[in-house]
Amino acid sequence: MENIVRHRAVAVATVLAVFACGGGEGDGSESDSGSVPAMASSSSVDLTGAGATFAYPIYSKWFSEYAAATGVRINYQSIGSGGGVRQISEQTVDFGATDAPMSDEEIAKAKGGRLLHFPTVVGGIAVTYNLPGVSQPLRLTGDLIARIFLGRVTKWNDPAIAALNPGVALPTTDLIVVHRSDGSGTTYVFTDFLSTVNRQWASGPGRGLVVSWPVGLGGKGNEGVAGQVKQTPGAFGYIELAYAKQNRLPVALVRNTAGTYVAPTIATISEAADSAVAKLAPDTDYRVTLVPESGANAYPISSLTWLLVYETPPDASKGQKLVDFMRWMYGAGQASAASLDYAPLPGTLAQRLTERLSQIKIGAPK
Amino acid sequence: MTGSVPAQRDLLEESLPPAGPGIEGQPIGDRVYRVVTTAFAVSVPALLAVIGISVVAAAWPALRTFGVGFLTSSDWDPVRGRFGAAPMIFGTLVSSLAALLLATPLAVGVALFLSEFAPDWLRRPVSFLVDLLAAIPSVVYGLWGVFVLLPVLRDTIVPFLADTLGLGATPFFSGPSYGYSMLSAGVILAIMILPYISAMSREVLLAVPRSQREAALALGATKWEMIRDAVLPFARSGIIGGIILGLGRALGETMAVTMLIGNRHEISASLLAPGYTLASVIANEFAEATGELHISALMACGAVLLGVTLVVNALARWLVWRVSREASS
């Protein structure tokens, strides 16, 4: 057995020396699509947060821009919405982040008092596919997408798809559904949309961070699904818009409530947010979904993502720093959203949320 | 006899610790040493017990809610709060078994080549390279599997097996092949456990005495007969030990499997169908699991995996014991 140990020690040393970073063996290590510590040194971290992976790129950019502007360092761990909700409920972090709004029971379980939801950006989910012979984007309705994910449509040249896409040469190959294997806010928003447009989906798999998918392969993370769609001819899946753009995957045009076939872009996603803001109640707690949307060119599969903040933060100075950051986020920060393929919040919404920041009581006794 | 021998024996007896089991009277260094090493030795099973107890305790709500149905049901629906781990148990066992079936002949073959046929100058570099396979991180295997192995399997090997060899007619190779399947997971696991089986087998094969080999050859055996009758029986328990080691790794392997297996909650006879394993479902769903029952169900998957690993290891050790008993009788 000494030979194994000796050879393995040399082998591991060689690999480590070559890669010059702690690669290590990954079996049993935790999952995650991008859990990278945001700060190089944690010696002067002012605020800590944890949660959703969907908005991690823009949060990361904001935290570094904010640190450069004001010197306040914020550390964020993208461990997933569920993890973010758990951490803020236990008060192990200063703020949480989630892609799916918390339920009333979850809010009741938060230990630090009343937990507020603050939207940060608007995102869109692209429906993508791999059809080598087809160059123009496919047109699909929400109901058809739901039926595909229910397993009712198994071939690409199915009459339902052909009827919506006259003149497109659809192949006779199998349609291979790809969904998320891990829990995700992206799945929540997508299944929320499917539940709204198709009754069988609503009474079947329903909406959730994880659902019981009738058919299809599971990919881990947005990058897993993007990879599977890219590699498998005939694949059909859903991913965040940013991933579709960066991987240059084709994106389907989805018919919205107004009847227009809309592609996911910053403009169409913003329009979905605008129309939702117009319908907000004055005393809303902002746990709103953008599905179903209204607006002539609004993209139907859009969603907000939220920061979770206590109404009475336990630490006054940290609470003040957090409020200052959020004020900056609703002001100067929104300008950098589009560069990372997120839609900034509508101006009126950002204004309202800035005013709402005064609802956070700094230094008040609990 | 001269008088110096009794004198030497007295000196010797004085320097030894007093006979008997107690540690009283022994030098303080020896006592400390014994206590410390005992503590280390006890801490390892204690750690195992702590892990086992805490996992089962966290899993208890789910196990109590679903009972034996947790092991037999295929319905995994977090939205409705129904959890059944049967596809994952099936997938763990099948992918590990497939990996063993693929890796064992290859690994033992490599070990035999290195011990019987390879010249000295070739043995060390090739052994080193085979052991290097064990040092490659699991995620790297997964990436390589997705970008290299999967297309090769899907476009070349599976059509050959299913159509040309006609295996597509059997239930084991039926159905469409998307690449992400039990077969891909089994192949990548086979590559990952190959160095473990190979290294163990190589050590025991090299340890077989030359006299055994020469005796067989002297009796007129061919090289293959010599290996089969004189070398392999000697090395059998060691080879099985290596297989157990490899099986243990295959049962718990997470990242590479979850990237290749398709992550589908379904039991299917076909190796070309996607599947799921206990370790993959925990890796996939734990971060976002919010409901108490969901988390408990995932911990229950962990407890089941622990149980499966213990049972398989116990079975394998019993097998080794039986084999070595037969060999010695």
Side-chain angles (χ1 to χ4, degrees):
Chain A
M1 204 55 177
E2 302 93 49
N3 265 348
I4 292 187
V5 174
R6 185 160 22 106
H7 285 160
R8 187 155 163 189
V10 173
V12 171
T14 310
V15 171
L16 284 177
V18 168
F19 288 106
C21 68
E25 303 203 2
D27 53 318
S29 67
E30 76 269 16
S31 65
D32 202 79
S33 50
S35 167
V36 174
M39 293 293 131
S41 79
S42 58
S43 54
S44 57
V45 167
D46 298 286
L47 293 172
T48 57
T53 54
F54 158 56
Y56 175 61
I58 184 63
Y59 291 168
S60 181
K61 184 163 188 182
W62 278 341
F63 297 148
S64 73
E65 283 179 1
Y66 192 66
T70 64
V72 173
R73 292 175 124 97
I74 306 175
N75 184 325
Y76 181 81
Q77 298 290 325
S78 66
I79 55 175
S81 302
V85 164
R86 273 203 292 276
Q87 299 297 322
I88 190 65
S89 299
E90 300 285 324
Q91 295 187 283
T92 50
V93 291
D94 301 312
F95 65 92
T98 178
D99 294 327
M102 290 169 74
S103 65
D104 293 328
E105 300 89 48
E106 288 171 335
I107 295 180
K109 277 195 255 172
K111 289 189 180 158
R114 193 159 160 243
L115 206 50
L116 301 175
H117 284 64
F118 277 88
T120 56
V121 281
V122 197
I125 295 176
V127 174
T128 180
Y129 49 87
N130 183 333
L131 280 183
V134 173
S135 54
Q136 65 268 61
L138 287 182
R139 303 173 143 217
L140 302 167
T141 64
D143 182 70
L144 177 58
I145 297 173
R147 281 193 294 137
I148 290 174
F149 274 88
L150 280 169
R152 302 279 157 78
V153 176
T154 53
K155 295 269 183 203
W156 275 105
N157 61 343
D158 190 281
I161 306 179
L164 293 172
N165 295 278
V168 174
L170 294 166
T172 57
T173 49
D174 289 334
L175 196 160
I176 302 162
V177 169
V178 181
H179 54 76
R180 290 286 290 272
S181 59
D182 52 331
S184 139
T186 314
T187 302
Y188 180 84
V189 174
F190 189 65
T191 50
D192 189 21
F193 168 72
L194 294 180
S195 301
T196 316
V197 296
N198 184 296
R199 216 165 330 172
Q200 264 152 343
W201 188 274
S203 59
R207 61 170 63 81
L209 295 169
V210 186
V211 300
S212 173
W213 299 94
V215 291
L217 304 172
K220 188 164 163 30
N222 274 305
E223 58 279 6
V225 173
Q228 285 196 11
V229 169
K230 214 169 175 185
Q231 299 254 310
T232 313
F236 183 84
Y238 65 93
I239 48 179
E240 296 291 354
L241 176 61
Y243 287 87
K245 286 177 84 165
Q246 278 161 26
N247 286 290
R248 282 184 281 277
L249 286 167
V251 163
L253 303 174
V254 183
R255 194 173 70 186
N256 66 7
T257 317
T260 326
Y261 287 92
V262 183
T265 65
I266 305 287
T268 57
I269 295 170
S270 296
E271 192 171 328
D274 284 333
S275 56
V277 167
K279 288 191 282 210
L280 281 176
D283 60 344
T284 177
D285 62 0
Y286 294 97
R287 288 188 291 156
V288 291
T289 169
L290 299 183
V291 170
E293 85 317 328
S294 59
N297 281 309
Y299 185 66
I301 323 178
S302 314
S303 106
L304 297 169
T305 183
W306 294 265
L307 283 188
L308 301 170
V309 179
Y310 279 111
E311 190 174 30
T312 48
D315 181 316
S317 78
K318 285 192 176 184
Q320 186 59 51
K321 284 182 184 156
L322 186 56
V323 167
D324 291 337
F325 166 73
M326 290 172 76
R327 190 165 290 127
W328 175 88
M329 176 179 74
Y330 288 127
Q334 294 289 314
S336 11
S339 63
L340 289 172
D341 299 316
Y342 298 91
L345 294 172
T348 47
L349 184 57
Q351 185 64 31
R352 272 174 82 160
L353 290 166
T354 310
E355 285 156 16
R356 190 177 180 229
L357 286 173
S358 56
Q359 202 181 336
I360 299 177
K361 301 173 187 28
I362 314 282
K366 276 218 300 265
Chain B
M1 287 291 161
T2 61
S4 63
V5 173
Q8 280 176 358
R9 191 185 297 145
D10 286 335
L11 277 174
L12 194 61
E13 278 176 356
E14 271 168 24
S15 66
L16 288 173
I23 62 172
E24 314 82 29
Q26 285 183 9
I28 185 74
D30 275 356
R31 268 186 271 169
V32 169
Y33 178 65
R34 187 164 159 165
V35 165
V36 167
T37 49
T38 309
F40 285 158
V42 166
S43 69
V44 174
L47 188 63
L48 182 62
V50 164
I51 292 174
I53 290 171
S54 55
V55 168
V56 172
W60 191 244
L63 291 172
R64 190 185 50 217
T65 312
F66 302 109
V68 179
F70 187 74
L71 302 175
T72 54
S73 159
S74 292
D75 188 13
W76 187 273
D77 194 340
V79 173
R80 281 177 187 75
R82 291 197 298 254
F83 298 98
M88 281 80 88
I89 299 171
F90 176 79
T92 306
L93 292 174
V94 167
S95 60
S96 305
L97 192 66
L100 263 191
L101 286 175
L102 286 170
T104 306
L106 202 57
V108 175
V110 168
L112 273 175
F113 170 77
L114 288 173
S115 71
E116 305 299 323
F117 298 98
D120 271 333
W121 57 267
L122 192 58
R123 181 176 302 145
R124 288 193 139 229
V126 175
S127 307
F128 175 71
L129 286 174
V130 171
D131 291 348
L132 197 62
L133 280 177
I136 299 177
S138 173
V139 190
V140 174
Y141 270 120
L143 284 176
W144 177 80
V146 168
F147 287 112
V148 178
L149 181 67
L150 219 77
V152 166
L153 277 176
R154 182 186 64 216
D155 299 330
T156 311
I157 297 186
V158 168
F160 173 71
L161 289 174
D163 302 327
T164 317
L165 291 186
L167 290 174
T170 67
F172 299 116
F173 282 89
S174 61
S177 153
Y178 304 130
Y180 298 90
S181 58
M182 198 74 80
L183 181 67
S184 313
V187 169
I188 202 76
L189 279 177
I191 299 173
M192 293 173 84
I193 69 176
L194 190 138
Y196 293 88
I197 306 176
S198 172
M200 278 286 270
S201 309
R202 188 180 69 236
E203 295 298 317
V204 293
L205 285 171
L206 285 171
V208 172
R210 271 191 87 80
S211 54
Q212 291 284 114
R213 296 191 171 91
E214 289 174 355
L217 290 172
L219 287 171
T222 63
K223 184 126 190 186
W224 162 239
E225 285 171 349
M226 178 264 287
I227 294 173
R228 187 192 67 199
D229 296 332
V231 176
L232 279 179
F234 233 96
R236 192 164 24 194
S237 61
I239 294 177
I240 296 181
I243 294 176
I244 297 170
L245 203 62
L247 184 60
R249 170 108 201 241
L251 285 172
E253 183 48 56
T254 312
M255 284 317 293
V257 171
T258 199
M259 290 163 96
L260 292 178
I261 200 167
N263 300 320
R264 175 129 202 86
H265 290 281
E266 213 169 62
I267 298 181
S268 170
S270 172
L271 284 174
L272 302 182
Y276 223 151
T277 64
L278 291 164
S280 298
V281 71
I282 298 171
N284 274 321
E285 296 189 12
F286 195 76
E288 295 275 357
T290 38
E292 289 299 327
L293 196 59
H294 193 178
I295 297 176
S296 182
L298 291 171
M299 295 298 274
C301 285
V304 170
L305 182 59
L306 209 57
V308 166
T309 309
L310 284 173
V311 165
V312 166
N313 265 294
L315 265 175
R317 285 200 189 282
W318 173 78
L319 189 67
V320 172
W321 172 78
R322 260 202 50 186
V323 160
S324 56
R325 218 175 56 137
E326 281 172 13
S328 60
S329 65

